[in-house]
Amino acid sequence: MEDQLKEVPTHDLESLLCSSNRDFLIRNSGDQVKVQSLKGKKVGLYFSASWCGPCQSFTPKLVKVYNELLSDSKFEVVFVSADQDNESFDKYFSKMPWLAIPFSDSETRNRLDKLFDVSGIPHLVILDENGKELTNEGVVIIREYEAKGFPFTPERIQELKEQEEEAKRNQSLKSLLVSPSRDYVIRSNGEKVPVVELEGKIILLYFSIVAYKESLDFTLKLVEIYQELRKEGENFEIVMIPLDDEESSFKKKFEGIPWLSLPVLDKTCAKLVHYFELSALPIVVVIGPDGKTIHPNVAEVIEDHGRKAYPFTSEKLAEIEELEKIKRESQTLESILVSEDSDFVIGKEGVKVRVSELVGKNILLYFSAHWCPPCRAFLPKLIEAYHEIKAKDDKFEVIFISSDRDQISFDEFFSTMPWLAIPFGDKRKLSLSRLFKVQGIPTLVAVGPTGKTVTTGAINLITYHGADAYPFTEERIKEIEEHYEKMAEEWPKKVRHALHEEHELDLSKHAGYYCDGCSEFGQWWSFWCKECDFDLHPKCALSDKDKDKGDVQGEDEEKNPKEGWTCDGDMCHKA
């Protein structure tokens, strides 16, 4: 109740965005714009970085919304960079039509980062005309509502949500597929098929990008199922929802596809992505004969079970889940890593290692890619842990599962690793990603000596505990936690420190943080000021004498600004 009554902060823009020697913001042309010119406008503070894949994906969406609202001149965006060098900042900022805090003013950028509690990027805070914080969920709002979300007030967002709920209550095939200018779908030969002819059938809405490799592979599987069901006379149809941004390439790939489609670049495609709250492709939404949604995505079920999953009812899917449970209970290393004639992984220079040779070992499956900065930042830590563990137990191995885009990138990245890998482009990568529900990279999955899954969250265990986390079982983690509890028994519960004379610092548990004394990453114990969100490692907060009373985490951490970040499809998160 106290949080609900807490007053939303209001900020003076000049105090917020200026520094002692700067009263302006900059454009990518180098022009200076006085901060006071923002008065009377809604302002979005855009925390982002060039190295962050989700930021690179979100920025064009924000540019589109910004340009649509530009004519009103009532909305401005200020870029707050998390880049680590001026060259990266300049290159990224050159794509942005709005303003920015100068890269040289790291003090203001860091202050804003702390003030708005930015734990992941992209992050967009929107302030109203008076500097009052409207929302810190600007990224979600822009993704979901685009320019329709303006003026970004809670009332406007609630209005849009109510409109969506009303649309879902009254959902029909017409409401999904028909637009004011179109009442048909098309075949690959250009034939127009009225949507009304599809009513009363089970409809699969297949969201796809035809040039996307995962979509290409899945399409081949779906064609087989489609032809089988049509041959059996089942009352169903597939309607592709193309998310391609280039018409000619779509038409070329659509040739010979047996089902129907919305026209490429039709505005209904983007509407349906938002309507069904979609994320990673491929997606197959099942619509029943009454026009209502039966299931939001059966792509994984289709991939694993094919024709047997039809007609995708809750009863049929419950049967399949029971089969999956039995499969998980009987999981072995060979059952997850052997596929048809692919019964090996590779070492250096392409040397083949049979999966049978790895049976009985503790295995880490390392989902990663050369293009992913958090992956590259995490790699040295994993290599260090790998060597430490191997020195103690030879029955341990890591297998690299690449999301790289070409063989050259794979070879370059794999050459830096001391372990094994699944060959580049191997179809087992897709099946393993689905099996372990990998949503972002880097991801580490621990598989025990019996071949059963130990944990899909081993990346946090390595990040926080290094080789000490081995063999990554619940029992081992409990032992580590008990050790951390014991190591602080002789530490003071409060300290005063010259770096933060304003308040006492309380001994607190933190999953992960950056020390305000040495800038190194730390975890578990921190001496913390809640009021100022100020953290000190115990090694920084205590004297040498006190520090020797326990193993203080983070003493040898590298000062790598990207270390401690993990990326999923939507955001790069601080650990």
Side-chain angles (χ1 to χ4, degrees):
M1 186 69 177
E2 183 178 342
D3 289 340
Q4 294 176 353
L5 296 175
K6 189 176 179 181
E7 187 177 350
V8 178
T10 298
H11 305 278
D12 175 71
L13 288 180
E14 293 191 55
S15 300
L16 188 70
L17 302 177
C18 295
S19 64
S20 58
N21 58 0
R22 178 186 53 78
D23 63 354
F24 60 86
L25 301 167
I26 59 171
R27 295 197 181 278
N28 56 26
S29 62
D31 293 344
Q32 298 179 358
V33 177
K34 297 289 187 181
V35 171
Q36 62 184 7
S37 69
L38 301 182
K39 288 185 177 179
K41 294 185 178 183
K42 287 183 169 61
V43 176
L45 302 179
Y46 182 39
F47 299 83
S48 183
S50 64
W51 53 261
C52 166
C55 296
Q56 290 278 5
S57 175
F58 176 73
T59 295
K61 295 180 174 65
L62 185 57
V63 169
K64 178 175 178 288
V65 171
Y66 179 86
N67 288 335
E68 287 181 21
L69 298 175
L70 197 58
S71 59
D72 283 343
S73 299
K74 293 181 180 178
F75 178 57
E76 188 54 78
V77 174
V78 177
F79 173 39
V80 186
S81 175
D83 278 306
Q84 302 304 319
D85 61 82
N86 202 87
E87 183 179 357
S88 298
F89 168 84
D90 287 342
K91 186 175 180 181
Y92 191 35
F93 185 40
S94 69
K95 304 173 184 177
M96 302 177 182
W98 45 70
L99 306 172
I101 302 288
F103 181 78
S104 59
D105 191 355
S106 58
E107 183 178 342
T108 298
R109 291 188 289 117
N110 292 335
R111 174 169 54 80
L112 291 171
D113 194 77
K114 285 190 175 182
L115 178 64
F116 291 102
D117 194 23
V118 179
S119 60
I121 53 176
H123 186 77
L124 181 64
V125 177
I126 301 178
L127 310 177
D128 73 6
E129 296 84 349
N130 300 310
K132 185 177 181 180
E133 187 174 322
L134 288 174
T135 179
N136 61 5
E137 296 289 337
V139 170
V140 174
I141 290 172
I142 295 296
R143 280 180 175 150
E144 291 189 0
Y145 302 110
E146 298 184 334
K148 290 188 299 183
F150 188 79
F152 310 120
T153 59
E155 294 78 14
R156 176 56 179 163
I157 303 308
Q158 183 60 34
E159 179 185 355
L160 292 171
K161 287 181 178 178
E162 289 173 359
Q163 290 175 5
E164 289 178 347
E165 290 169 2
E166 178 68 18
K168 289 180 179 180
R169 284 194 294 270
N170 298 317
Q171 178 180 304
S172 67
L173 202 59
K174 285 183 179 179
S175 72
L176 293 173
L177 299 180
V178 172
S179 72
S181 61
R182 179 190 46 74
D183 62 357
Y184 58 85
V185 290
I186 60 173
R187 295 194 185 279
S188 59
N189 62 6
E191 178 189 349
K192 296 178 180 179
V193 178
V195 171
V196 68
E197 293 184 10
L198 305 180
E199 293 180 340
K201 296 183 177 183
I202 292 176
I203 303 295
L204 304 187
L205 301 181
Y206 175 31
F207 293 79
S208 173
I209 298 175
V210 293
Y212 187 45
K213 186 179 186 303
E214 282 76 1
S215 292
L216 286 171
D217 294 341
F218 183 77
T219 295
L220 295 175
K221 178 108 179 172
L222 196 56
V223 166
E224 293 179 13
I225 297 168
Y226 180 86
Q227 291 172 337
E228 287 178 17
L229 291 173
R230 295 287 296 201
K231 187 175 180 180
E232 294 168 14
E234 295 291 349
N235 190 33
F236 103 111
E237 186 55 82
I238 295 177
V239 177
M240 183 181 285
I241 313 298
L243 306 181
D244 301 78
D245 55 12
E246 211 281 310
E247 187 171 7
S248 61
S249 64
F250 168 77
K251 286 184 175 180
K252 185 175 180 180
K253 296 289 185 181
F254 189 40
E255 290 176 5
I257 294 293
W259 50 69
L260 306 169
S261 177
L262 285 180
V264 69
L265 303 179
D266 191 293
K267 290 184 178 180
T268 302
C269 298
K271 183 195 80 170
L272 291 174
V273 168
H274 170 65
Y275 182 84
F276 287 110
E277 301 176 1
L278 305 186
S279 53
L281 296 177
I283 300 285
V284 179
V285 178
V286 185
I287 306 299
D290 60 354
K292 306 299 183 185
T293 303
I294 292 178
H295 197 281
N297 186 18
V298 293
E300 185 175 327
V301 178
I302 288 173
E303 184 68 47
D304 292 340
H305 301 279
R307 163 74 178 82
K308 296 176 183 177
Y310 186 81
F312 314 108
T313 59
S314 57
E315 294 79 11
K316 175 60 71 172
L317 297 181
E319 289 177 22
I320 289 175
E321 175 55 34
E322 187 61 31
L323 293 173
E324 286 295 310
K325 182 179 177 182
I326 295 171
K327 185 178 177 182
R328 286 193 295 270
E329 290 173 350
S330 60
Q331 176 179 302
T332 65
L333 191 67
E334 289 170 310
S335 74
I336 63 175
L337 285 182
V338 174
S339 174
E340 298 174 357
D341 59 345
S342 298
D343 62 352
F344 62 89
V345 293
I346 59 172
K348 297 305 174 187
E349 299 181 356
V351 174
K352 292 183 179 181
V353 177
R354 300 292 176 189
V355 172
S356 57
E357 297 178 35
L358 303 175
V359 171
K361 293 188 175 185
N362 285 292
I363 304 291
L364 284 179
L365 302 177
Y366 178 40
F367 297 83
S368 184
H370 184 270
W371 54 261
C372 166
C375 298
R376 296 197 301 272
F378 175 71
L379 182 59
K381 186 178 288 290
L382 182 57
I383 290 175
E384 180 184 359
Y386 175 83
H387 288 307
E388 287 186 37
I389 296 169
K390 288 285 280 189
K392 299 175 184 177
D393 185 359
D394 192 51
K395 290 190 174 182
F396 167 71
E397 194 52 77
V398 175
I399 300 173
F400 171 43
I401 301 169
S402 174
S403 292
D404 281 304
R405 294 159 180 157
D406 55 69
Q407 184 75 50
I408 294 174
S409 298
F410 169 85
D411 291 341
E412 182 180 344
F413 202 31
F414 184 42
S415 69
T416 65
M417 303 175 186
W419 44 70
L420 306 173
I422 284 178
F424 174 74
D426 194 299
K427 61 185 179 182
R428 287 175 290 175
K429 184 262 179 184
L430 186 59
S431 64
L432 288 167
S433 295
R434 287 200 313 272
L435 175 63
F436 296 111
K437 304 188 186 306
V438 176
Q439 298 297 316
I441 55 175
T443 289
L444 270 179
V445 176
V447 177
T450 65
K452 290 186 173 58
T453 305
V454 175
T455 178
T456 59
I459 192 164
N460 288 331
L461 303 182
I462 291 289
T463 298
Y464 296 151
H465 310 303
D468 289 342
Y470 183 76
F472 315 109
T473 59
E474 291 183 8
E475 293 77 13
R476 177 56 187 151
I477 302 312
K478 186 176 180 181
E479 290 176 3
I480 291 174
E481 291 175 353
E482 289 174 352
H483 167 70
Y484 281 142
E485 291 290 341
K486 186 175 181 180
M487 72 193 247
E489 287 179 358
E490 298 182 36
W491 290 348
K493 298 298 181 271
K494 294 179 180 289
V495 298
R496 287 276 184 183
H497 199 279
L499 290 177
H500 193 74
E501 297 178 342
E502 300 94 324
H503 308 101
E504 279 189 314
L505 304 176
D506 296 310
L507 182 61
S508 308
K509 290 180 182 177
H510 280 189
Y513 63 92
Y514 282 91
C515 176
D516 289 292
C518 65
S519 300
E520 295 175 358
F521 180 73
Q523 58 89 27
W524 198 262
W525 289 117
S526 162
F527 281 92
W528 179 51
C529 174
K530 180 179 180 181
E531 184 174 344
C532 303
D533 192 23
F534 181 91
D535 286 281
L536 284 183
H537 284 140
K539 74 182 181 72
C540 294
L542 304 175
S543 67
D544 289 340
K545 179 180 179 180
D546 288 329
K547 186 172 63 179
D548 290 338
K549 292 179 180 178
D551 300 324
V552 180
Q553 190 71 22
E555 196 162 352
D556 296 318
E557 298 285 349
E558 294 182 11
K559 294 184 180 181
N560 187 333
K562 295 175 187 173
E563 190 169 338
W565 291 80
T566 58
C567 288
D568 57 29
D570 295 322
M571 182 175 287
C572 288
H573 303 268
K574 289 180 182 177

